[in-house]
Amino acid sequence: MVRYVMGRLAQGVVVVFVVVTLTFILIHAAPGDPLTSLANEPNVRPEVVEQMRRNLGLDRPLHVQYVRYLGRMLRGDLGVSLTQHRSVAAAIRDAIPNTILLALAALLIDFGIGVSAGAFQGAHPRSRRDRTLTAVTITLYSIPVFWLGMVLLFLFGEQLYWFPVAGVTDPVTYPFRSGLGKVADRLHHLVLPALTLGLAGAGYTARQQRAAMIEAIGQDFVRTARAKGLRERLVVGRHALRNALLPTIALAGLAFPALLSGTVLVETVFSWPGLGRLAADAIGRRDYPIVTGAALVAAVLVVLGNLAADVATRIADPRTKPAS
Amino acid sequence: MTMLLAVRDLTTTFETADGVARAVDGVSFDLAEGETLALVGESGSGKTVTALSILRLIPEPAGRIAPGSRIEFAGRDLLSLSPRELREVRGAEIAMIFQEPMTSLNPVLTVGTQIAETVLAHEAASKREARERALDMLRLVGIADAESRLKSYPHELSGGMRQRVMIAIALVCRPRILIADEPTTALDVTIQAQILDLLTDLKRRLGMAMILITHNLGIAAGIADRVAVMYGGRIVEVAPTVDLYREPAHPYTDGLLRAAPRLDGPDRPTPSIPGSVPPATDWPSGCRFHPRCQYAWERCQSEPPLLEAGPARTARCWLVDEPARRKP
Amino acid sequence: MSRLRLGITLVSLLAIVAIIAPLIAPYDPTVQLDLATLRNAAPSFAHPLGTDLYSRDLLSRLLYGARISLLIGLLAVAISVSVGTSVGLVAGFSGGVIDIVLMRIVDAGLAIPKIFILLVVLALWEDVTVAVLIGILGFTGWFGVSRIARAEVLSAREREYVAAARALGAGPIRLIARHILPNIAAPIIVAATLGVGQVILVEAGLSYLGVGVPPPQPSWGNIIRDGQDLIRTAPWISTTAGLAIVLTVVAFSILGDGVRELLDPRER
């Protein structure tokens, strides 16, 4: 297992290296350089832009810039924000725990709902409830996640007052709460954004789980389980579902990119100070080092997420262990 | 002789893209206490569907056992049992093993779990007791180092061992009937013989009846008391094994005998029956075998009933009526 | 079959609406009709869906929005499919270093969450027009398709008829045209159909973030963005546009599923 993880980690490093290279190419392939838009601002003096250009090394030949860029990335130096007066790394450090919390909570809701719904559908294919759930899941993955967030925010935040509408904590009461109260406040703030992101993903998970379940139920070993005289609950819940969960666990890895894309929109809707909102805000201010830094970190998160999903699959599937 | 199992007019149909397939079409046979009956025929003749129908394992709703069919086990009609009553029969009274030991075992559960759960489903046993029973069964089916094999997963076992595990699962609750569907087809020839020996041995020791399904008359000869030959969803001949081999009454049986690979011989091509089994959606009219039969004449346009062809044997062929037509 | 028919019907209806939008839209979607009296007007006979903050007719904006969304979705997917298929074919056929390099690029492309890639590109782009947006969406959306195409090439190469065609001296072009393309068509058509809906979702997201279709052009994402702060007083603005997106993406999802059922009999 250790060897496997190291191998996958090495692959991940290659992916991240290519991502870094791609972002470099993107930055330099775009018309103008990263400071063009800044230079076009009427109240920015051209000398200032020239100075910044020199500071950023944008006047050097491309290959020199590339090597220096790689070197900086290797040291974890993602550059300096153009608008925040601090390093990109510092900005991302503040944002990333919030995004990881949101993404994990959403993943839990996504798979909780998606797996239950899909497994039920797969166990009763073509039933009336299967058809109803299919309509629901198609709708869920066709909903713009930011719009779903707006609707939930409006209903449960602004009309029913069940949940707070913005931020990770209550700005007024949080500092005065006890330890447990602080946790409760954070969870209270987490519900709506996590539910939004989780629901949007649950549609796809449910479809995948339904297909995996139908496939599993058609397998010979399910017939064996029935021939043994097992209760249908065991046949479906133990024999079919355990097998049908394996592809879904593997799928969790593939769900990470979509999940992180979703955080950009959901964090914006709910003013959730995470990586996505950082990037979305930065693009409004044309703060490109923040945007590229956030994208790089998002890619690293995806690579780590894939690795986690692979390891989980290997743990869950006895066939991937060497024979004893 | 009391009949343990009596199948009457069993008809099982499937909805397919090409229409309704009558995979099993009016099959009747009996199985006595302790008897071994072989159901023999080419693939597509309906033998596996017959076996699955007995345990009502036909995948619904595409497959359906037609009304009017009866399957009586120890005086009860299996076709009218509630799901719960049916569960109590499956695995405990009538057990089944399948052709593919690879895919018929659950890849993510240990061997021990898969044996023990059968015990837990049918008996008021504790988990520890169920595990002990699983261990005993593994020893009984001849698996070495049974203790550690309990914790093995199916992929860690060889094909022959997997089939031994399947047998252990099937027999752990001491069923009165074992249905073995092509139990050795997927195995190497040497392993085949071992598994067949094991089955014969266990059958005798446990005193159960067995329905052995095979396309190979050579295998049937080794263990069956009686043989029922199926063709086109129907039984075309039933006879005590010795009689059947000495003198097949139906030309199809004759063809199968000539085509049978010998268990002890080398794997050499054998003369086979010309043509192939027609699709179940489109059985020929009259005798279903007549398009492939070398003796067919006008009378074969109407289907013969099962005619008495000797002591305790029947055949669905007009030749029984007109033996002179059978040329030497 | 019924799912395919439903999908075709819904998508055709949307396409017709998009095409004849200029004929049925009651107003110019970008014209501010009367800033004094017609801001956020509730639905009425003259304005069936009301008006927005700038007194523009919402129904007209919605109809023209269909035009822009479908145009972006279809053209961007056309680009993605062409690029992805070509890259997949090249990688699958060349093997070796070319294959490895291309596939590492694809791995990287798939590792960066879509919206982050787009933000990086858009952060550096001046004056994003609809055409530029289509290009950006298309050229960042081909990674998945290229994997499908490559996998099909690899499996087709294993098959006997391709080996036979090779033995008979068929060149790669002929091989691709005669043996590979017909085989990879099915999965790619399915991916493309589903992809249109996904691109429409992404475009809406970008417009919502303010970096998509440039205002005052009426994209559905822009309408939702305009209506976001008015959700209490004029909920119809963001609601109708949101429902329009859901309906459109559902239509393409159903069509995609239908096509899959048609092309792959194993699916149910």
Side-chain angles (χ1 to χ4, degrees):
Chain A
M1 185 59 106
V2 173
R3 173 179 288 186
Y4 173 77
V5 172
M6 296 313 283
R8 294 287 286 116
L9 216 50
Q11 286 175 17
V13 170
V14 173
V15 169
V16 172
F17 167 77
V18 179
V19 168
V20 170
T21 308
L22 280 185
T23 51
F24 179 83
I25 294 171
L26 279 179
I27 291 168
H28 292 273
D33 69 34
L35 296 182
T36 310
S37 53
L38 197 69
N40 289 347
E41 299 281 323
N43 51 359
V44 175
R45 285 197 317 245
E47 314 78 276
V48 175
V49 176
E50 257 336 287
Q51 182 60 46
M52 284 178 79
R53 228 168 230 151
R54 266 197 302 281
N55 291 349
L56 290 168
L58 292 172
D59 52 345
R60 302 292 192 86
L62 263 188
H63 62 273
V64 177
Q65 287 193 43
Y66 176 60
V67 172
R68 284 172 46 156
Y69 184 75
L70 277 184
R72 288 198 291 115
M73 295 296 138
L74 215 56
R75 293 194 304 272
D77 174 6
L78 298 172
V80 179
S81 160
L82 300 181
T83 57
Q84 288 203 17
H85 304 294
R86 58 176 173 165
S87 73
V88 173
I92 288 177
R93 240 193 324 275
D94 286 350
I96 209 147
N98 291 327
T99 292
I100 290 177
L101 177 68
L102 173 60
L104 289 183
L107 199 64
L108 214 62
I109 293 170
D110 176 341
F111 278 75
I113 296 176
V115 166
S116 332
F120 175 85
Q121 289 182 275
H124 307 91
R126 294 170 173 276
S127 65
R128 179 184 294 256
R129 279 184 286 184
D130 174 33
R131 284 171 214 272
T132 310
L133 281 172
T134 297
V136 173
T137 54
I138 289 190
T139 309
L140 277 182
Y141 85 59
S142 304
I143 289 187
V145 65
F146 57 95
W147 185 72
L148 178 65
M150 279 168 57
V151 171
L152 292 181
L153 186 148
F154 177 67
L155 288 181
F156 296 106
E158 298 187 343
Q159 295 297 308
L160 296 168
Y161 300 106
W162 287 1
F163 298 104
V165 296
V168 284
T169 52
D170 189 308
V172 181
T173 65
Y174 186 77
F176 308 108
R177 285 172 178 249
S178 64
L180 212 60
K182 285 186 154 112
V183 173
D185 187 45
R186 279 178 178 273
L187 287 177
H188 198 206
H189 280 77
L190 181 61
V191 172
L192 280 185
L195 191 65
T196 304
L197 201 52
L199 276 177
Y204 187 75
T205 308
R207 282 168 61 84
Q208 141 70 26
Q209 186 63 52
R210 177 182 183 273
M213 195 70 181
I214 288 175
E215 161 114 21
I217 283 182
Q219 299 284 318
D220 287 351
F221 58 75
V222 168
R223 190 176 60 187
T224 307
R226 291 211 173 102
K228 285 176 182 178
L230 299 190
R231 291 166 186 283
E232 199 58 18
R233 196 164 43 83
L234 275 181
V235 173
V236 172
R238 182 188 282 165
H239 285 266
L241 185 57
R242 281 211 192 176
N243 280 276
L245 278 177
L246 297 178
T248 305
I249 297 173
L251 180 90
L254 299 176
F256 279 112
L259 201 62
L260 288 172
S261 275
T263 60
V264 177
L265 297 162
V266 171
E267 289 180 357
T268 302
V269 173
F270 290 96
S271 311
W272 186 267
L275 191 65
R277 178 153 176 259
L278 183 71
D281 278 356
I283 197 170
R285 302 193 188 116
R286 297 264 159 199
D287 191 345
Y288 88 95
I290 292 260
V291 179
T292 48
L296 278 180
V297 172
V300 171
L301 287 182
V302 167
V303 167
L304 292 177
N306 283 337
L307 181 66
D310 280 359
V311 170
T313 311
R314 285 177 74 86
I315 290 172
D317 189 345
R319 280 166 295 187
T320 56
K321 295 191 192 90
S324 54
Chain B
M1 201 155 52
T2 56
M3 284 308 149
L4 185 57
L5 183 77
V7 175
R8 291 290 173 273
D9 296 323
L10 176 66
T11 298
T12 306
T13 58
F14 289 89
E15 295 285 344
T16 72
D18 302 324
V20 176
R22 301 177 71 85
V24 174
D25 198 357
V27 159
S28 302
F29 63 87
D30 294 318
L31 182 71
E33 202 94 50
E35 183 189 28
T36 298
L37 172 74
L39 273 183
V40 179
E42 291 165 283
S43 53
S45 58
K47 35 190 209 315
T48 296
V49 176
T50 303
L52 292 175
S53 300
I54 293 172
L55 278 180
R56 284 170 57 187
L57 290 169
I58 299 295
E60 289 169 358
R64 212 166 78 89
I65 298 176
S69 310
R70 270 190 3 265
I71 299 175
E72 276 178 16
F73 167 71
R76 287 195 295 171
D77 184 7
L78 294 182
L79 296 181
S80 55
L81 296 186
S82 70
R84 193 174 148 228
E85 293 168 323
L86 183 65
R87 264 202 328 263
E88 288 167 359
V89 171
R90 287 173 174 174
E93 309 260 19
I94 306 178
M96 186 158 178
I97 59 179
F98 300 94
Q99 180 171 352
E100 289 287 343
M102 179 75 235
T103 55
S104 296
L105 290 170
N106 192 324
V108 302
L109 298 177
T110 61
V111 163
T113 306
Q114 296 189 58
I115 305 175
E117 70 179 356
T118 314
V119 178
L120 292 171
H122 294 293
E123 294 169 28
S126 69
K127 285 197 170 168
R128 173 189 284 272
E129 287 162 348
R131 192 182 161 280
E132 285 303 315
R133 292 273 297 279
L135 190 59
D136 291 344
M137 275 321 286
L138 281 185
R139 293 199 178 110
L140 187 66
V141 297
I143 286 183
D145 198 10
E147 187 86 36
S148 72
R149 282 306 177 195
L150 276 182
K151 293 195 265 321
S152 294
Y153 289 93
H155 74 276
E156 295 166 337
L157 307 177
S158 68
M161 289 238 270
R162 286 190 204 121
Q163 197 58 294
R164 284 174 196 266
V165 170
M166 279 300 296
I167 294 170
I169 290 173
L171 301 187
V172 69
C173 288
R174 302 290 144 95
R176 294 166 76 186
I177 301 177
L178 173 68
I179 303 175
D181 183 5
E182 304 267 11
T184 61
T185 307
L187 305 175
D188 292 344
V189 179
T190 46
I191 312 289
Q192 282 190 14
Q194 290 175 17
I195 295 290
L196 289 174
D197 288 346
L198 176 69
L199 279 176
T200 338
D201 178 45
L202 287 175
K203 187 192 103 71
R204 201 170 39 240
R205 282 162 68 178
L206 305 179
M208 61 189 176
M210 178 155 83
I211 299 177
L212 174 74
I213 291 165
T214 177
H215 63 279
N216 185 335
L217 270 173
I219 288 177
I223 29 181
D225 302 314
R226 267 191 319 145
V227 177
V229 180
M230 286 193 72
Y231 185 82
R234 292 193 185 273
I235 288 186
V236 294
E237 178 167 9
V238 185
T241 309
V242 181
D243 300 345
L244 184 105
Y245 282 79
R246 188 182 302 139
E247 192 188 354
H250 198 287
Y252 178 62
T253 313
D254 196 29
L256 278 184
L257 274 175
R258 289 175 198 282
R262 295 183 55 88
L263 198 54
D264 51 359
D267 245 352
R268 63 188 151 74
T270 45
S272 62
I273 309 169
S276 56
V277 182
T281 46
D282 193 20
W283 297 131
S285 60
C287 169
R288 291 184 177 174
F289 186 62
H290 87 264
R292 297 172 73 187
C293 181
Q294 54 171 322
Y295 304 112
W297 74 101
E298 311 81 62
R299 198 174 177 192
C300 303
Q301 295 299 331
S302 68
E303 191 180 25
L306 274 168
L307 299 168
E308 184 143 358
R313 59 185 300 185
T314 52
R316 195 184 287 279
C317 181
W318 293 122
L319 283 174
V320 176
D321 240 13
E322 303 180 40
R325 283 189 172 268
R326 198 192 296 263
K327 294 175 205 96
Chain C
M1 215 36 147
S2 68
R3 197 176 277 197
L4 182 66
R5 204 166 292 161
L6 180 64
I8 291 176
T9 312
L10 287 174
V11 169
S12 310
L13 279 177
L14 285 164
I16 291 170
V17 166
I19 292 166
I20 64 169
L23 301 176
I24 53 175
Y27 301 91
D28 182 324
T30 56
V31 160
Q32 305 184 352
L33 297 169
D34 186 347
L35 279 173
T37 60
L38 262 180
R39 297 174 64 162
N40 303 329
S44 64
F45 188 71
H47 304 280
L49 295 179
T51 59
D52 71 3
L53 182 63
Y54 306 101
S55 76
R56 298 174 296 207
D57 179 62
L58 210 61
L59 176 63
S60 306
R61 287 182 71 72
L62 209 64
L63 292 172
Y64 273 90
R67 220 174 153 84
I68 290 193
S69 288
L70 287 183
L71 188 75
I72 291 177
L74 291 172
L75 292 182
V77 164
I79 294 175
S80 302
V81 165
S82 318
V83 175
T85 308
S86 316
V87 171
L89 286 176
V90 169
F93 260 100
S94 327
V97 180
I98 296 177
D99 183 30
I100 291 172
V101 169
L102 286 176
M103 285 304 114
R104 288 302 82 75
I105 291 175
V106 169
D107 288 346
L110 287 171
I112 317 178
K114 185 77 130 288
I115 292 203
F116 281 96
I117 307 184
L118 293 164
L119 289 186
V120 169
V121 179
L122 290 165
L124 300 158
W125 218 286
E126 288 290 295
D127 304 322
V128 175
T129 61
V130 170
V132 170
L133 193 63
I134 289 171
I136 292 175
L137 284 165
F139 283 104
T140 53
W142 55 268
F143 306 111
V145 177
S146 74
R147 272 203 182 161
I148 299 175
R150 176 176 175 273
E152 291 291 332
V153 172
L154 293 186
S155 78
R157 285 180 68 170
E158 296 296 313
R159 272 176 238 141
E160 282 174 22
Y161 56 80
V162 174
R166 283 213 149 171
L168 290 173
I173 302 291
R174 191 181 158 76
L175 221 52
I176 289 173
R178 289 288 299 277
H179 298 287
I180 310 271
L181 280 182
N183 273 302
I184 66 174
I188 286 182
I189 289 170
V190 173
T193 315
L194 295 172
V196 175
Q198 294 308 307
V199 169
I200 289 174
L201 280 181
V202 171
E203 176 269 313
L206 291 177
S207 294
Y208 169 75
L209 294 174
V211 290
V213 174
Q217 292 192 72
S219 117
W220 290 335
N222 283 343
I223 299 175
I224 294 178
R225 179 182 165 87
D226 291 343
Q228 181 178 22
D229 295 331
L230 306 167
I231 195 162
R232 260 158 261 103
T233 50
W236 55 85
I237 298 178
S238 46
T239 311
T240 46
L243 290 177
I245 297 174
V246 174
L247 178 69
T248 307
V249 182
V250 164
F252 279 99
S253 302
I254 293 176
L255 181 64
D257 284 353
V259 173
R260 194 204 313 260
E261 279 169 24
L262 179 74
L263 296 178
D264 183 355
R266 278 171 306 159
E267 294 281 335
R268 60 211 85 214

